[in-house]
Amino acid sequence: MSTAILTGPPVAGSPLEADLRTLGFDVRTANDPASAAELIAAVPAQERVAVVDPRFVGHQHALRLALTDPRFPAAAVPGALTAQPEARAALARAVGRIPVGAGTAHLTDVLTDTLTESLDRDGIGLHRVELGSLVATVALTPAQREDAREAVAAVDDEAVRLRTAVKSRDGFFTTFCISPYSRYLARWCARRGLTPNQVTTASLLTALIAAGCAATGTRGGFVAAGVLLLFSFVLDCTDGQLARYSLQYSTMGAWLDATFDRAKEYAYYAGLALGAARGGDDVWALALGAMVLQTCRHVVDFSFNEANHDAAANTSPTAALSDKLDSVGWTVWVRRMIVLPIGERWAMIAVLTALTTPRIVFYALLIGCALAACYTTAGRVLRSLTRRARRTDRAARALADLADSGPLAELIAGSARGRGRTGSFLAPVMAFLSAAVLLVWVISEDDPTSWLTVGVAVCSALLAGAAVARLLKGALDWLVPPFFRAGEYTTILVLAARSDAPGALPAAFGLVAAVAYHHYDTVYRIRGGTGAPPRWLVRATGGHEGRILVITVLAAVLSPSGFTIALTALAVVLALLVLIESIRFWVSSQAPAVHDEGEPA
């Protein structure tokens, strides 16, 4: 239970107290700043406190936005403000600073406004809610109250609440084919007390059942899989809309939503591969290739955003052109569809699964994702080259964490530190060469499962260490993590495919999935403001260069069947290691609530 303190002249017949109780507040009354300070001090330290003027007139949803959103330490609308536990001390100081006696009426007449200004000056992260068409005001006279009530009656706040439950930026398929009805499903869930995390879990279970149907290898199974995959996506949209509708945001919710999306999609790939195998068609290489390509696309997105979201002078002619194109309606939707976001991608997969074969599904997926990756990466390279942004130490640290360098690369980087110039193109060139040297060798060599490949892997590690020897503040340094991911994942794919061992590719699929989970987990820890996973975990997993070296050694010393067993064991060990630490962290994490309004990946 949270506490709301009404401070100001009482208003008979006002529905305000009922609205506050509906929002979960225990309502108390204070006659002056001194009594308000006493009430604030009496509320348990772990509870939220709201201060509301009894003359407040406005929509209940305006109060909900100001008083119940967990993402902000403090928030306000005219006539109402709230402070979460981390902002309670600032609120108490603000109340204590209000003088008493003659000449203070201008400070105490609308106490909530005075407190809001004081909290804003304290720099605690006060959020002023953008009301749009919603009404929130303090009516000082009967005429003002009547006008405000008429303004409230003119706007249906439930319609506003439903409309704003939908993401402000989404793909074409999601916007026009899913959101028009999924928002009502979100409201249905809210009225029955369901949480976004429960809906997220239901979406995962539905997708896993879809993968199981695809694994049957029958036409009926493929049709059922396509239908269930689409329903899973409806639930995937619903969980975010439910979070926005009921303001149930959390860091864990954002992490679950993101990681479950990847788990659903990659489990479905595995189901398609198993179903194809039942029909005598081995498409595991295509399934693993699709997972590698999709994961590398995400790493490009994450790295670019982390490198630039807090950069100074963050403008470029390319960005200006992009903004200009966004002003033309049809180009917005074309550009959003070109990148093949999750809605368009899952719709394509579902339809092709029902009507064609797994091989055709993966061919379409690989072609579509490759074109989307080329389009987005080329645009970001152009933006980076044409802007003169000064990147922060925090961005450089985030890129270094996303690089996932292990002990070997750290040792090499330490010996190379001081050489090269921060901000040059040396880091991405070294990262590209690190991946390219290894990939060219394993793809072109007649027998890549040899000790020569181990030597090439050592050379690759040397180049990787050189890439991270300096702070990653260059214009294209955000390409370093994607190059490392492409090199590691594709090396595993090629070595498994060329080992000619039964089961090697499914084992490699599991290994890449475990490593990719570790990389996604790193991203969402950084996004949640809690920093990357602990260094002991990164060292225990070997870092990207350590895992490559171990895998090339295993390929050189073991028989094909032994290599398959080793890949399977390595996948299990890494999965247990990263999952146990990840679950421990997210269950105990006290990170602030986050919410992503960007376009889905």
Side-chain angles (χ1 to χ4, degrees), residues 436-489:
V437 164
L438 187 60
L439 292 180
V440 169
W441 175 266
V442 297
I443 292 171
S444 62
E445 181 63 18
D446 292 336
D447 180 19
T449 58
S450 67
W451 285 104
L452 286 174
T453 303
V454 177
V456 175
V458 171
C459 294
S460 175
L462 290 170
L463 292 167
V468 295
R470 301 299 298 263
L471 289 175
L472 299 178
K473 291 187 173 183
L476 296 180
D477 284 0
W478 57 270
L479 287 170
V480 170
F483 283 145
F484 287 163
R485 296 296 80 76
E488 179 183 1
Y489 297 161

Side-chain angles (χ1 to χ4, degrees), residues 211-218 222 270-284 358:
C213 292
T216 64
T218 63
F222 288 148
L272 284 175
L274 288 169
R278 286 180 176 272
D281 189 12
D282 186 355
V283 297
W284 275 106

